[in-house]
Amino acid sequence: MKKLLLTLGIFLAVTAVSKAQILPKVQVGIKGGVNLSSLSNTSGTFSADNRAGYLGGIWARFGALGFNFQPELYVTSKNVNINSSNGPSSNAKFTSIDVPLLLGGKIGAFGLGGRFYAGPLLSFAINKDNSFGSAVGGATRFDYKSSNFALTAGAGIDISKISIDLRYEAGLTKQNYFDGSTNYKTRVSLFNLSLGYAFL
């Protein structure tokens, strides 16, 4: 009898989890978080330290059969600190509207689950602060392009209507950094950690 009850309990639990993953589901929410940006540099002529920025916006998630499509729209501020061998250190800050289009899977049920995803990201700069201060003047310059492409991948945890996400964004678009004597091609990459809430 105990074995029968145990088998029945396992069957019901598996059925509930399967049903939760198979049925179509739509969620809409808000999110906010922080990021750490850096510049790639293969020449070794300058280094770019990670600096904190922020992000905030909205997201939607369409799921069925254990898979998700998650488009997002958020404003993000990215900061880098550049240390050049040809001059003093300098800061660059740029604000953009980012649109990631993520595909992934989900496991779990009863309001608790884990997600993993990846996809392309489109970024549109709305403010570019290329001023590095009076000490450097116009000698150094970091030109962040108006539209950029990146690939992003990450994982998340869902607890009822709360989502916690950690992801990495690898920039594909080459940016120009001029240190006063040489023009370098570099890419912006970052990690971001965000907290989301599903209101629908």
Side-chain angles (χ1 to χ4, degrees):
M1 186 67 177
K2 289 182 180 179
K3 289 183 178 180
L4 180 61
L5 290 175
L6 180 61
T7 303
L8 182 60
I10 293 172
F11 174 76
L12 291 175
V14 170
T15 301
V17 171
S18 300
K19 185 178 179 181
Q21 295 302 310
I22 291 173
L23 293 179
K25 187 174 183 181
V26 178
Q27 290 180 293
V28 179
I30 56 175
K31 67 180 297 183
V34 295
N35 61 48
L36 289 174
S37 303
S38 65
L39 298 179
S40 62
N41 174 34
T42 56
S43 66
T45 308
F46 70 91
S47 63
D49 298 332
N50 290 330
R51 297 190 67 216
Y54 65 85
L55 63 96
I58 59 174
W59 57 269
R61 188 179 302 146
F62 308 92
L65 301 174
F67 295 96
N68 289 309
F69 171 59
Q70 182 170 317
E72 299 180 352
L73 176 69
Y74 54 82
V75 175
T76 180
S77 173
K78 303 167 188 175
N79 302 292
V80 291
N81 183 56
I82 303 171
N83 301 301
S84 175
S85 60
N86 294 328
S89 64
S90 52
N91 297 327
K93 178 180 179 180
F94 31 100
T95 305
S96 62
I97 295 175
D98 289 1
V99 184
L101 303 172
L102 307 171
L103 291 172
K106 182 177 180 178
I107 55 173
F110 309 113
L112 180 65
R115 290 173 289 106
F116 52 92
Y117 49 80
L121 182 143
L122 310 175
S123 182
F124 306 95
I126 55 177
N127 180 49
K128 297 183 284 185
D129 180 7
N130 295 325
S131 174
F132 291 158
S134 57
V136 182
T140 62
R141 185 175 66 252
F142 178 68
D143 295 326
Y144 187 70
K145 294 186 177 179
S146 296
S147 59
N148 298 276
F149 297 93
L151 290 177
T152 186
I157 298 173
D158 296 331
I159 306 170
S160 186
K161 294 187 175 185
I162 303 296
S163 296
I164 302 170
D165 286 86
L166 176 65
R167 67 182 63 163
Y168 176 70
E169 179 184 318
L172 299 178
T173 305
K174 290 183 178 180
Q175 316 292 341
N176 293 315
Y177 170 61
F178 181 70
D179 68 355
S181 62
T182 307
N183 192 53
Y184 298 96
K185 297 291 185 181
T186 184
R187 292 181 174 90
V188 179
S189 298
L190 59 88
F191 284 95
N192 74 48
L193 177 66
S194 64
L195 179 67
Y197 176 76
F199 55 78
L200 178 64

